[in-house]
Amino acid sequence: MDALRGACIIGQSGGPTSVINASAYGVIRTALDNPNITRVLGAAHGIKGVLNDELYDMALEDASELELLMHTPSSALGSCRYKLKDSSVDDSDYRRILEIFKKYNVRYFFYNGGNDSMDTCNKISKYMLQVGYECKIMGVPKTVDNDLWGTDHCPGFPSAAKYVATSIMELYHDARVYDTPMVCIVEIMGRHAGWLAGSAAIATYLGQGPDLIYLPEVAFDINKFLSDVERLYYDTGKVLVAVSEGIHDESGKLIAEYGAENAPVDSFGHKQLGGLASTLVNMVKNRMGSIKIRGIELSLLQRCAAHCASETDIAESFMAGKAAVDLATCGVTDKMVGFERTYDKLGNYVCNIKLMDLEKVANAEKKVPREWINAEGNGLTQDYLDYVLPLISGTPKLTYENGMPRFAKLKKILAKK
Amino acid sequence: MDALRGACIIGQSGGPTSVINASAYGVIRTALDNPNITRVLGAAHGIKGVLNDELYDMALEDASELELLMHTPSSALGSCRYKLKDSSVDDSDYRRILEIFKKYNVRYFFYNGGNDSMDTCNKISKYMLQVGYECKIMGVPKTVDNDLWGTDHCPGFPSAAKYVATSIMELYHDARVYDTPMVCIVEIMGRHAGWLAGSAAIATYLGQGPDLIYLPEVAFDINKFLSDVERLYYDTGKVLVAVSEGIHDESGKLIAEYGAENAPVDSFGHKQLGGLASTLVNMVKNRMGSIKIRGIELSLLQRCAAHCASETDIAESFMAGKAAVDLATCGVTDKMVGFERTYDKLGNYVCNIKLMDLEKVANAEKKVPREWINAEGNGLTQDYLDYVLPLISGTPKLTYENGMPRFAKLKKILAKK
């Protein structure tokens, strides 16, 4: 059978990571070099770029700039959070996508994102199968949340984990520099899954990390938390806490909402800003009085810190993108590329490609196993450490200019029709 | 004349930096190797360690762990914020310090810190001169604020500047990933001087930085700020703002206090937390309605990010500590080690040691020259860039273990009397 010949589209969607562009580069470089792919088109802002007929011609980019994508944070092609309706309810978007696919003779579609993006990818794949338009459709995973089903881990998570663990280890040293007592609460991303907040345990494992770590996988007991903080404060004088933004009480109510609820309106007519960290800070103050306490939100920093990425993650992210193209041009479709972990004879970590049905990935979420969290629900076990440590190894060799990382500058020239 | 023989004390004080330990190592290593220094004592928590007779015997530390101080953030010996009274008012602390100096035959005293620490150092120096106790006393500078008088720049500032510029450049990419408009306001340390917030201009210079940068050197005009944000928002859809925590209005009132004043008390009985970033966020919302806007406080992260230090800064920090010991053992006293910048024949930046009177350093503060800030007061000029760029060059070669930086672990064995 002859290989399918035609153009490909690569799109990025959802919250960016510091290595999602390494996956995009894996797709773009491999596709540019593949004789069956006649044209490589980058969708501006994910699926919206397809709907708007805004497609960049990736062959017109300088090869050296494209290569810098390996170390450039955020989604270089632009991202979106656009949800496709079910085609049975409203198929106008799908008909438009098909129209664009036909216009450019698109026979390969690669979508680089997390859960919602895999949902988009799955819906497009199913629609094309249904209408009988031949197009190989592959999902390329990314998410700092690490919550995609069926894969050992997700590109983007290891680098964010490395940044969180490194930053919190540095904070550990800074926060305890005076001989006066203090509490410091660090808020980490993760709405439903605590994989990323869990990475703070790496610093604890190295003897320089949080005393308490809370994930959304275990219902958060406010009184237990306050007692733990109080006990540590009076025992040791120093309390460092890492907490997932998504922690909630037994009833499922977000702890962050406790603050929002009570937050009164300021003179501008707005509720005072204040995320989970400041809510917890206020709870501790309420219990313990006016102690020295600080809340720190790692915010966007944790998902774009390319300067502190994991080399393992970068290499694997590229590999995922490359595998998507290699496999699609061999006829594979309707799958997401995932990872399977093995260990070689010397016990060294090895990461292999595996394939998962888009259908399954689109509708599932992977959480930290309860048994990887300690019995008290305020720390991680050795199982989690064994899982995460191989992923954060290796320091990337960034290109520097003026003492600063040199990131890719794409020309983004729109493809001719 | 024979060189003075005796023990030395090294103390660290004030807010830590990511490279203050490189200076401490410069002192400790050089002192351990100097035949006229009979004993190297590390004061626990700065001058408080002297007052409390809590001195570590640095010779009992492993040489390899000491060397790791080159890349270990925060103050490894512990810090303090202890202000000595004037000896004319109350000389009890001074008499105690003299007692300890005599007890250990301390003939060299090195104090590693910022403005307040130089004040401490100066007071001790003057007291020892007054009572005729021979002791060579030297200040070794550090401060991320870069506001010490008379020196071209301060150890600690370049690394913090590199972290701020790098992080904000990464944020630039992340914050504009969607095709929807947004405002992002980043709060940077600096109460009185805007050197550090100014470093955000490095990212702007590279085409990937804030649109607006505000320093405390120029009175902050709230209406002008809101107009600038609004104009950029509607012109470009993306507004990135960097702001020094110390910005104030024409009357000198801190802008952060506008928020605190209006912040009502929550149900716990506490004012809702909210620094300058959230105050500005609320002001913008009040003007522009419910737009997508985010405030990010770099908080402690910016002063302890050893993983993103400037190699130039590390080398110079070590050099400052080493010079303090070398010069003191040559008879110099009552001085702070500072830097003087020259350029070689090829135009390359060169950093030389200079000496300043402790008296002068203790009572002055260096601000960003008005002419290095643009006329509108919302950006930096090329002069600032020419000043800062040579300082952030070079990436340090950290030791890694388990994918994480390996920081020094000191034994901190108390010195025998």
Side-chain angles (χ1 to χ4, degrees), chain B residues 199-221:
Chain B
S199 66
I202 300 168
T204 306
Y205 169 70
L206 298 173
Q208 305 154 68
D211 306 285
L212 302 166
I213 303 173
Y214 298 99
L215 313 188
E217 279 79 357
V218 178
F220 187 75
D221 179 335

Side-chain angles (χ1 to χ4, degrees), chain A residues 62-381:
Chain A
D62 294 331
S64 59
E65 290 296 329
L66 283 178
E67 198 180 342
L68 286 171
L69 287 175
M70 286 294 276
H71 299 117
T72 300
S74 190
S75 305
L77 300 171
S79 187
C80 68
R81 290 200 185 274
Y82 186 84
K83 197 165 171 65
L84 288 177
K85 295 197 182 82
D86 274 336
S87 62
S88 59
V89 176
D90 177 358
D91 69 350
S92 48
D93 278 349
Y94 298 89
R95 284 185 287 113
R96 173 63 176 161
I97 293 167
L98 180 59
E99 182 188 348
I100 297 293
F101 277 18
K102 286 181 175 168
K103 177 174 174 183
Y104 292 93
N105 188 33
V106 173
R107 297 293 171 180
Y108 297 97
F109 180 72
F110 305 102
Y111 212 50
N112 193 189
N115 305 69
D116 290 339
S117 312
M118 290 309 131
D119 181 58
T120 298
C121 193
N122 179 49
K123 284 172 171 164
I124 296 172
S125 180
K126 297 304 180 288
Y127 181 81
M128 297 300 160
L129 287 169
Q130 185 192 317
V131 299
Y133 179 83
E134 194 174 11
C135 184
K136 306 301 178 194
I137 296 188
M138 299 287 282
V140 182
K142 76 81 216 166
T143 165
V144 297
D145 293 334
N146 202 40
D147 58 351
L148 281 169
W149 176 86
T151 180
D152 178 77
H153 59 281
C154 301
F157 162 67
S159 292
K162 182 171 187 141
Y163 174 83
V164 166
T166 303
S167 294
I168 214 162
M169 190 165 93
E170 291 169 339
L171 280 174
Y172 171 94
H173 286 274
D174 190 295
R176 55 201 300 123
V177 73
Y178 300 114
D179 61 350
T180 44
M182 68 86 214
V183 177
C184 183
I185 298 174
V186 184
E187 178 182 342
I188 298 159
M189 283 181 170
R191 297 254 167 106
H192 305 294
W195 294 102
L196 189 53
S199 67
I202 298 168
T204 305
Y205 169 70
L206 298 173
Q208 306 154 67
D211 306 286
L212 303 166
I213 303 172
Y214 299 98
L215 313 189
E217 279 79 357
V218 177
F220 186 76
D221 179 336
I222 295 173
N223 285 322
K224 172 79 164 65
F225 160 73
L226 292 171
S227 303
D228 283 350
V229 169
E230 194 168 42
R231 178 180 46 78
L232 281 164
Y233 184 86
Y234 289 111
D235 281 1
T236 70
K238 311 280 176 193
V239 191
L240 184 55
V241 180
V243 61
S244 225
E245 59 177 335
I247 56 165
H248 53 79
D249 66 16
E250 198 68 58
S251 78
K253 179 177 157 185
L254 288 173
I255 303 303
E257 281 174 7
Y258 279 78
E261 224 163 61
N262 296 317
V265 170
D266 70 13
S267 67
F268 299 120
H270 297 292
K271 280 199 172 186
Q272 281 289 100
L273 268 192
L276 174 62
S278 68
T279 301
L280 293 176
V281 162
N282 285 331
M283 285 177 175
V284 173
K285 277 185 182 170
N286 187 46
R287 165 87 161 234
M288 297 178 63
S290 162
I291 59 166
K292 190 175 171 193
I293 182 164
R294 189 189 282 266
I296 297 177
E297 193 189 337
L298 294 185
S299 189
L300 300 181
L301 299 163
Q302 67 201 293
R303 74 177 192 195
C304 63
H307 75 273
C308 190
S310 149
E311 179 60 29
T312 299
D313 190 23
I314 293 174
E316 290 177 356
S317 298
F318 177 87
M319 179 173 82
K322 179 174 168 45
V325 176
D326 288 342
L327 291 164
T329 51
C330 290
V332 174
T333 189
D334 202 32
K335 302 283 184 189
M336 183 187 87
V337 171
F339 296 146
E340 190 165 60
R341 174 193 305 238
T342 57
Y343 293 91
D344 68 14
K345 284 177 185 168
L346 297 171
N348 296 314
Y349 161 86
V350 178
C351 179
N352 302 305
I353 293 291
K354 66 184 272 197
L355 291 173
M356 276 108 49
D357 293 341
L358 277 175
E359 183 78 34
K360 285 186 184 161
V361 178
N363 296 298
E365 205 173 44
K366 191 182 70 171
K367 302 200 174 188
V368 179
R370 181 58 186 88
E371 60 273 23
W372 289 12
I373 303 169
N374 68 11
E376 287 202 71
N378 59 16
L380 282 293
T381 67

Side-chain angles (χ1 to χ4, degrees), chain B residues 354-373:
Chain B
K354 65 185 274 197
L355 291 173
M356 275 106 51
D357 293 341
L358 277 174
E359 183 78 34
K360 285 184 183 163
V361 178
N363 296 296
E365 204 173 45
K366 191 181 69 171
K367 302 198 173 188
V368 179
R370 180 61 185 86
E371 61 272 22
W372 288 12
I373 303 169

